[in-house]
Amino acid sequence: MEIKKAAMAGTLESSDAQVTVEPGNGSIELSIESSVIHQFGKQIRATILETLNRLEVGSAKVTVVDKGALDCTLKARVECAVYRSNDMTENLPWGGAIRS
């Protein structure tokens, strides 16, 4: 899926994450800010990249401000931001694109 315009999902509340996606230059540029980056940085990164891969996003600038979100929350926020960037508002395949 192509990132057509900048879009955001999530909040800066505790246990949530704010994910912003923007059109990229042919690759995934990922920036993560998290209070738990030293403990869970690798898992946060893997969850985000796996979700983008399953959504077939190959080019994007992704910025994540994590406030201790669980993996399922990160997946939902990434998915929502990608859908919003494509103006998808009806018949969304929530979770369908990210199942193993």
Side-chain angles (χ1 to χ4, degrees):
M1 190 176 301
E2 179 184 352
I3 303 299
K4 295 182 180 175
K5 65 179 184 177
M8 183 185 302
T11 70
L12 296 175
E13 298 294 321
S14 181
S15 301
D16 201 355
Q18 187 175 70
V19 176
T20 306
V21 297
E22 301 173 76
N25 332 340
S27 64
I28 301 293
E29 277 183 63
L30 179 56
S31 171
I32 301 171
E33 178 185 318
S34 175
S35 57
V36 293
I37 194 81
H38 297 295
Q39 295 94 335
F40 302 109
K42 288 181 184 177
Q43 181 61 36
I44 293 167
R45 181 177 179 79
T47 298
I48 294 164
L49 292 175
E50 176 185 301
T51 305
L52 291 169
N53 184 52
R54 289 188 182 164
L55 291 169
E56 298 179 353
V57 174
S59 176
K61 181 179 177 188
V62 181
T63 305
V64 178
V65 180
D66 172 58
K67 297 293 184 178
L70 297 174
D71 285 356
C72 58
T73 303
L74 288 170
K75 289 177 184 180
R77 296 307 188 204
V78 171
E79 199 172 24
C80 182
V82 170
Y83 291 153
R84 285 180 176 170
S85 80
N86 283 276
D87 290 322
M88 294 174 65
T89 58
E90 295 182 15
N91 301 317
L92 296 170
W94 291 117
I98 59 172
R99 288 191 190 127
S100 296

